[in-house]
Amino acid sequence: MAEVRYEAASRLYPGAEEPAVNKLNLDIADGELLVLVGPSGCGKSTALRMLAGLETVTSGSVHINGVDVTLKPPQDRDIAMVFQNYALYPSMTVAQNMGFALKQAKVPKAEREAQVREAARILDLTEYLDRKPKNLSGGQRQRVAMGRAIVRKPQVFLMDEPLSNLDAKLRVQTRTELVDLQARLGVTTVYVTHDQVEAMTMGDRVAVLKFGELQQVDAPRTLYSAPANKFVAGFIGSPAMNLLDAEDVDGAPGIAGAAIPLEESVLSQLKSQDLDQVAVGVRPEHLTLGTTGIEGEVTVVEELGSESFVHVTVSHRGEPTTLVVRDRGETETGRGDRVKVDFGGPIHVFGSDGLRVEA
Amino acid sequence: MALFTRAPKAEPILGQNRVVAAILGLLTWIIGLLFFFPLFWLVLNGFKEESVANASPTLVFDPTTDRFCDVTATSKWVSWFTELTNLCQPSEVTGGGLLTFSEAFSNSFWIVLISTVLVMILAVPAAYALAIRPMRKWRDVLFFFISTKFLPIVGIIMPVWIIARDLNLLGTRTVLVILYTAMNLPLAVWMLRSFFAEVPKELIEAAQIDGCSLMGQLRQVILPIVAPGLAATALLCVIFAWNEFFFAIQLNPTGASTMPVWVNAQQNFQGQFLAELSAASVLATFPVVIAGWVAQKRMIRGLAMGAIK
Amino acid sequence: MTSATTSSAAAISHEEEVRRLERREGWKRRLPILPALIFTIVVTQIPFLFTLFYSLTEWRLDKPDPRKFIGVDNYASLPGDKFFRDAAWVSVQMTVMAVLFSLIVGTLLAILLDRKFFGQGLIRTLLITPFLVMPVVAGFMWKTQMFNATFGVINWVLNLFGFDSIEFATRFPLASVVVVLVWQWSPFMMLIVLAGLQGQDQSVLEAARVDGATTWGSFRQITLPQLRPFLELGTLLGAIYLIQVYDHIEVIVGGQPGAKNLPFYIAQRSIGGGNRFGLASSYSIIVVIASIIIANIGLRVLSNLLEDDS
């Protein structure tokens, strides 16, 4: 039972110009599953490893359960970590792997075995307890790594891309199992991934990082409906948001010659800005194909069965530009068709500083 | 990744025509047997009577183990093996006189054993520091170790001889133990580093988080992974030390010297006893040949792959 | 603003703490390497400095004369020293021939072994064995049982074909030594090349096959470049060991002229009874300089190898 707190925590690698993690401020509530997400090199793993004590915090501090652990070694932090490649001890059996931390803590043998058996039962590993890691499948290894973490009953779970070595189908299945397990155990969890779908489906809250800077931390729904800046808008959502530099249409931002329906309050905030620097974003599901709107030609149709994504090339700022529109499944539209695209939902506007312009 | 096994789909360089393959296989067999022939002949000669060995070469003869018994100065074939095991007691340095087989064997055994143990004691922490928790400029340090291997022994033999003489170490086991340790240390550091580098970093981090001390990490996590590499490295050190002749003959040609010196002396003093010399050579050679056979795969992987991976 | 000041004061002390921890960590990382480093320096590097000093003196151990500092006179006398010139020339021939031939033979053996055939493991083991044999035994065995004019197998075969016996070790001392060296070092080269062959990227070879490359073409254009670092490593290690050959010469040629290389001659002139420690030291320095040249090229190769090693 613990909350986690990063207070202006930075990590500057020796010899590097820019810090890998820059003045990170983050509060994670007790029992919460917080996902750190971002493209590779964004500092998400470094941030996690700072919490683990595997990376030096060069300035700022890290707290677990109100205790400043910034300078404590990993073993004194009461945390458990699941690694991307699982890091199972190859010379030990599954049971020994899971019981290793308890053995280090000098927990009596009987109690240790009971706890290992309990964890194995939860994770459906009972029949594999005597096997060595090399004789397990990828999914089983992943579960052993989980088991090694939960046996310890730590204050915080740290997970560094624990599902990225599984194949696609198993990954989706394990994802839901993991969320369920975390909710049942109620242990605060920090989860790192580069996969925004994983982040959105698993996190109570999601923290988006880029170049070591925290971009936004919010519930998945908020990240999706109200991205704080251009980066988050483009990063979250699949397929990605249509994000374009605006066109000046009669003094208001527009796309491909068409003015965008915007609220007065937004327009007034844009008054002082150069419209060429303003970006507009519309999610594919908030565009419709119809009889009115921007004219263009269909170049690609992606059929997914339940829905389809139609790529429409329009002329925007004098260049051919693609807009992705969500259509129903079994769409009649085909490549080469001339269609019209209209707005059918919320439109995101980002000022010249890249930040969201709120209505 | 096992070095001598490969994906079944892999194609050999030379074509895959079956007739060609059969011919090449046969050719490889012939070359392999030819390469081994001198050794085979040596072993054969060891089992001959002197009169048969000192005659035109022949494959047909009455094998006898008498030569092996002569060499070890025991009366029965069965007892020379027990003799060998008895040899491994440290004995006092015998001053002067001709070295006997048992003295040479026991000298070699102790010199090689102690120097190899010393090498490992010095090289394991160094390899750990170079591979697992690399300090800054670890490459420069590794280079320094390898570069000492490039210093020819003749570059230091004279001062070493004079220092050993002044310290009254000439003709002792100690001087060879020290020199063999120095001789094998760079190689051992080089090989061990490559084996230690194969330990995934995350394993050590996991152990740290699990609350494992440094010694615990070494013993329970790292050692089980590098143990085969440690064994291969130690065996390679054994081979080089066992076969070493230059230091032995220059610094220790007398009572406390080793197998190569003994074989050389036998050759000089009793050159006409070809069969007995062959038997002696076989006895002098076989411990390290066996060691090499056992360690061949890992040895070369540590030498070559470690550098290249 | 006051809160900002206090937090920056805290940050400084925190940074000091971090620096202190990192310093201690630095020592923890360096300490394990020190014993090996110090031992190596004391046993190999310091004696070398002595050699350098000896080489600048006139010093005979068999005479009571004190050691006399004579500057570079020893080196100046080298070009006119016929024995030195002969030994140096033997050293060059022996090293170059032994390295070259064992590299060629080793590569061919590796290519032959790099395919599935019945008894592959056994043949590989047989082929490795010469490298494991004690050099003194290898020399003795070849001299008395292969090269020997009366009992030697080679001469027996020659006689079968109607040729006269040849006492190889006396007639062709240098060639005899090189044959034994090649016999011992080809297996070593073979193992290194084999490691290269089996570690090569198969997908590239398959791509070449798809692109229609012939067997020879893909060997020359893909396999050989991939093998290059391994061939270089083999050459380097081989040269470093073979320039120092002593055992084989002692056993096969002994005191006879014709195949005495520098290390053999140096030992003879100093510890082996010559007692001219000053002069012999200058020979040693020449050998060391030659090795440094080889090693310099070699180290560049090795550093390239280590480049990708994170």
Side-chain angles (χ1 to χ4, degrees):
Chain A
M1 300 302 109
E3 66 275 350
V4 171
R5 214 169 131 78
Y6 286 91
E7 232 168 63
S10 299
R11 169 60 168 149
L12 180 69
Y13 284 107
E17 299 267 312
E18 298 288 323
V21 171
N22 194 7
K23 298 207 172 64
L24 178 66
N25 282 302
L26 199 56
D27 278 300
I28 302 163
D30 183 23
E32 184 179 19
L33 198 168
L34 181 108
V35 179
L36 290 172
V37 71
S40 65
C42 71
K44 56 189 189 296
S45 281
T46 310
L48 186 79
R49 292 165 57 83
M50 283 157 77
L51 179 56
L54 298 170
E55 296 278 358
T56 318
V57 179
T58 39
S59 71
S61 57
V62 177
H63 307 258
I64 295 175
N65 208 13
V67 181
D68 185 343
V69 296
T70 316
L71 297 171
K72 282 191 180 176
Q75 54 267 35
D76 297 343
R77 296 188 179 201
D78 198 11
I79 47 166
M81 187 155 169
V82 180
F83 291 84
Q84 180 170 7
N85 60 8
Y86 316 138
L88 301 180
Y89 308 119
S91 54
M92 303 179 198
T93 63
V94 169
Q96 285 168 331
N97 260 288
M98 285 166 57
F100 188 68
L102 298 178
K103 196 173 158 196
Q104 300 308 309
K106 308 236 168 8
V107 173
K109 196 164 176 228
E111 195 186 329
R112 206 161 75 209
E113 281 175 357
Q115 289 187 35
V116 168
R117 231 174 291 120
E118 171 63 12
R121 193 187 55 76
I122 295 174
L123 291 162
D124 209 5
L125 283 169
T126 310
E127 54 186 308
Y128 305 112
L129 279 175
D130 292 328
R131 291 215 196 157
K132 292 271 176 74
K134 68 165 189 274
N135 298 323
L136 297 176
S137 71
Q140 289 162 346
R141 279 180 212 180
Q142 204 281 331
R143 293 215 298 278
V144 176
M146 284 299 305
R148 199 168 62 178
I150 65 175
V151 159
R152 296 186 48 186
K153 304 204 168 70
Q155 299 206 59
V156 187
F157 283 142
L158 310 182
M159 305 198 184
D160 192 356
E161 309 229 7
L163 305 182
S164 63
N165 281 349
L166 300 178
D167 63 55
K169 197 175 165 195
L170 194 56
R171 188 156 60 221
V172 173
Q173 184 195 334
T174 314
R175 201 161 76 192
T176 50
E177 284 172 10
L178 218 154
V179 170
D180 176 53
L181 183 68
Q182 193 272 340
R184 265 193 292 157
L185 297 171
V187 176
T188 315
T189 303
V190 184
Y191 186 107
V192 162
T193 180
H194 65 274
D195 180 352
Q196 55 99 10
V197 176
E198 216 167 279
M200 297 292 280
T201 49
M202 295 180 73
D204 291 329
R205 281 191 307 153
V206 176
V208 184
L209 279 100
K210 180 197 175 194
F211 297 143
E213 307 265 0
L214 181 62
Q215 305 290 314
Q216 184 174 5
V217 50
D218 260 316
R221 193 181 296 188
T222 318
L223 276 186
Y224 189 79
S225 60
N229 58 32
K230 260 167 83 177
F231 175 76
V232 176
F235 189 74
I236 300 289
S238 173
M241 181 188 283
N242 294 296
L243 199 57
L244 307 169
D245 290 333
E247 219 175 39
D248 189 337
V249 179
D250 305 328
I255 293 176
I260 308 171
L262 287 177
E263 290 174 41
E264 267 313 312
S265 61
V266 174
L267 286 171
S268 65
Q269 287 181 64
L270 293 173
K271 279 270 157 53
S272 55
Q273 299 200 11
D274 181 359
L275 283 179
D276 273 355
Q277 305 285 313
V278 169
V280 217
V282 194
R283 297 215 178 266
E285 64 266 35
H286 298 143
L287 289 175
T288 54
L289 294 179
T291 50
T292 57
I294 309 158
E295 214 179 290
E297 186 183 327
V298 175
T299 44
V300 176
V301 176
E302 294 175 311
E303 278 279 7
L304 299 178
S306 61
E307 58 188 357
S308 58
F309 291 97
V310 180
H311 295 229
V312 181
T313 302
V314 300
S315 173
H316 174 66
R317 292 167 68 136
E319 306 255 343
T321 306
T322 302
L323 292 177
V324 180
V325 182
R326 188 176 76 174
D327 200 6
R328 61 188 167 80
E330 296 169 31
T331 176
E332 293 94 37
T333 319
R335 185 182 152 80
D337 292 355
R338 303 290 303 177
V339 292
K340 283 184 175 159
V341 180
D342 209 349
F343 302 102
I347 294 166
H348 309 270
V349 180
F350 303 95
S352 51
D353 52 0
L355 296 181
R356 178 180 185 79
V357 178
E358 203 65 62
Chain B
M1 180 181 64
L3 185 55
F4 289 100
T5 59
R6 46 191 305 176
K9 263 171 76 182
E11 298 284 355
I13 287 170
L14 300 166
Q16 50 271 58
N17 181 309
R18 274 171 106 186
V19 179
V20 176
I23 293 171
L24 287 171
L26 193 68
L27 183 69
T28 318
W29 265 88
I30 293 171
I31 295 175
L33 292 177
L34 271 179
F35 249 78
F36 192 72
F37 176 79
L39 280 171
F40 168 74
W41 193 250
L42 179 79
V43 176
L44 226 53
N45 274 342
F47 286 101
K48 287 176 183 172
E49 298 290 348
E50 293 296 350
S51 57
V52 183
N54 287 308
S56 201
T58 176
L59 282 171
V60 188
F61 63 93
D62 262 344
T64 165
T65 58
D66 289 357
R67 301 293 82 70
F68 288 91
C69 300
D70 293 346
V71 169
T72 53
T74 49
S75 51
K76 272 201 206 105
W77 159 250
V78 282
S79 62
W80 76 257
F81 189 78
T82 48
E83 174 76 3
L84 273 187
T85 48
N86 288 337
L87 298 177
C88 305
Q89 324 287 332
S91 62
E92 283 307 304
V93 174
T94 52
L98 210 60
L99 197 63
T100 66
F101 173 82
S102 52
E103 280 166 346
F105 194 97
S106 123
N107 285 334
S108 269
F109 179 88
W110 285 105
I111 290 169
V112 168
L113 179 77
I114 295 171
S115 80
T116 303
V117 169
L118 279 178
V119 166
M120 297 313 270
I121 290 174
L122 291 167
V124 166
Y128 174 86
L130 288 171
I132 292 191
R133 318 202 59 180
M135 54 211 241
R136 245 166 274 172
K137 307 209 171 185
W138 64 268
R139 278 193 185 82
D140 296 348
V141 177
L142 184 61
F143 272 2
F144 172 75
F145 273 114
I146 309 166
S147 69
T148 63
K149 204 71 211 159
F150 297 150
L151 180 70
I153 293 173
V154 291
I156 59 165
I157 184 69
M158 279 166 276
V160 165
W161 187 83
I162 286 171
I163 294 166
R165 188 195 60 172
D166 294 349
L167 295 175
N168 273 328
L169 286 176
L170 281 187
T172 63
R173 291 171 177 167
T174 316
V175 70
L176 290 185
V177 167
I178 294 170
L179 287 169
Y180 291 175
T181 306
M183 173 180 85
N184 282 328
L185 193 52
L187 200 69
V189 170
W190 170 254
M191 278 183 73
L192 285 178
R193 189 202 74 88
S194 70
F195 287 117
F196 272 97
E198 285 181 13
V199 178
K201 244 184 111 178
E202 292 84 358
L203 269 188
I204 294 154
E205 291 176 350
Q208 260 179 306
I209 290 177
D210 280 349
C212 204
S213 66
L214 180 65
M215 277 319 288
Q217 290 166 33
L218 268 175
R219 230 188 33 245
Q220 301 180 61
V221 180
I222 300 174
L223 195 66
I225 299 175
V226 297
L230 282 180
T233 308
L235 276 177
L236 196 71
C237 293
V238 165
I239 291 169
F240 279 125
W242 182 272
N243 288 345
E244 207 286 333
F245 178 62
F246 186 68
F247 279 137
I249 189 88
Q250 299 301 336
L251 299 168
N252 193 349
T254 55
S257 203
T258 55
M259 287 305 286
V261 174
W262 178 78
V263 171
N264 187 47
Q266 293 297 303
Q267 207 221 170
N268 288 338
F269 294 121
Q270 329 185 275
Q272 69 275 32
F273 298 111
L274 198 58
E276 187 176 330
L277 263 172
S278 299
S281 297
V282 170
L283 290 180
T285 313
F286 89 97
V288 297
V289 167
I290 308 259
W293 282 348
V294 172
Q296 50 175 311
K297 289 184 191 178
R298 277 181 189 279
M299 247 162 35
I300 203 62
R301 178 157 143 213
L303 273 174
M305 295 300 280
I308 281 150
K309 248 180 26 192
Chain C
M1 276 291 106
T2 37
S3 73
T5 335
T6 49
S7 79
S8 86
I12 286 168
S13 78
H14 168 75
E15 267 159 31
E16 272 172 359
E17 181 66 16
V18 167
R19 222 168 303 137
R20 198 182 62 83
L21 277 178
E22 275 177 355
R23 254 199 314 272
R24 212 172 61 187
E25 177 70 17
W27 273 108
K28 258 202 228 157
R29 282 167 190 238
R30 248 166 282 159
L31 210 58
I33 213 165
L34 286 181
L37 205 57
I38 293 168
F39 185 87
T40 308
I41 290 172
V42 168
V43 182
T44 67
Q45 305 302 293
I46 294 177
F48 174 67
L49 296 180
F50 278 94
T51 307
L52 203 59
F53 169 68
Y54 295 168
S55 78
L56 302 174
T57 64
E58 164 71 36
W59 184 23
R60 303 186 54 126
L61 226 55
D62 53 343
K63 296 202 172 153
D65 311 355
R67 191 156 46 194
K68 203 165 67 195
F69 189 80
I70 54 165
V72 294
D73 284 8
N74 284 327
Y75 295 97
S77 71
L78 289 186
D81 183 341
K82 186 179 175 306
F83 293 110
F84 170 78
R85 280 207 318 262
D86 288 349
W89 177 230
V90 167
S91 266
V92 171
Q93 292 180 82
M94 198 179 277
T95 311
V96 170
M97 285 200 286
V99 169
L100 199 66
F101 291 140
S102 45
L103 196 63
I104 293 171
V105 174
T107 307
L108 291 176
L109 289 177
I111 290 173
L112 280 175
L113 266 185
D114 184 42
R115 48 186 302 122
K116 280 250 167 299
F117 64 89
F118 174 73
Q120 192 186 19
L122 174 72
I123 293 298
R124 188 186 65 233
T125 305
L126 290 188
L127 280 171
I128 289 168
T129 313
F131 183 62
L132 304 170
V133 171
M134 188 182 287
V136 173
V137 167
F140 149 76
M141 177 180 76
W142 276 87
K143 183 189 179 186
T144 57
Q145 296 169 28
M146 298 290 127
F147 294 146
N148 186 287
T150 29
F151 322 124
V153 174
I154 297 178
N155 278 308
W156 180 74
V157 174
L158 281 183
N159 293 343
L160 274 188
F161 289 98
F163 294 99
D164 287 336
S165 292
I166 305 166
E167 186 57 73
F168 289 99
T170 343
R171 285 275 300 283
F172 309 107
L174 181 62
S176 300
V177 173
V178 169
V179 165
V180 182
L181 289 177
V182 171
W183 180 71
Q184 287 215 275
W185 281 85
S186 299
F188 176 79
M189 303 293 189
M190 174 191 84
L191 283 175
I192 290 203
V193 176
L194 206 54
L197 283 176
Q198 305 195 332
Q200 70 178 321
D201 188 351
Q202 292 297 331
S203 61
V204 180
L205 276 186
E206 277 157 21
R209 203 170 293 279
V210 172
D211 289 344
T214 60
T215 305
W216 169 242
S218 64
F219 174 73
R220 203 167 47 88
Q221 291 172 32
I222 295 164
T223 306
L224 219 48
Q226 283 192 37
L227 277 187
R228 217 186 98 182
F230 292 87
L231 293 173
E232 287 170 342
L233 183 71
T235 309
L236 171 71
L237 293 177
I240 293 305
Y241 274 91
L242 287 167
I243 203 171
Q244 315 197 37
V245 163
Y246 176 90
D247 321 15
H248 301 80
I249 301 173
E250 163 81 26
V251 176
I252 298 173
V253 191
Q256 301 164 43
K260 285 188 207 168
N261 66 353
L262 276 175
F264 190 87
Y265 189 54
I266 291 166
Q268 230 180 14
R269 295 283 286 191
S270 57
I271 303 162
N275 283 323
R276 300 204 49 179
F277 278 73
L279 186 63
S281 291
S282 69
Y283 297 167
S284 297
I285 298 299
I286 298 292
V287 178
V288 171
I289 290 171
S291 298
I292 286 173
I293 294 169
I294 298 175
N296 245 317
I297 303 166
L299 273 182
R300 207 162 310 151
V301 173
L302 285 182
S303 78
N304 287 342
L305 296 183
L306 282 172
E307 213 82 297
D308 320 320
D309 199 341
S310 49

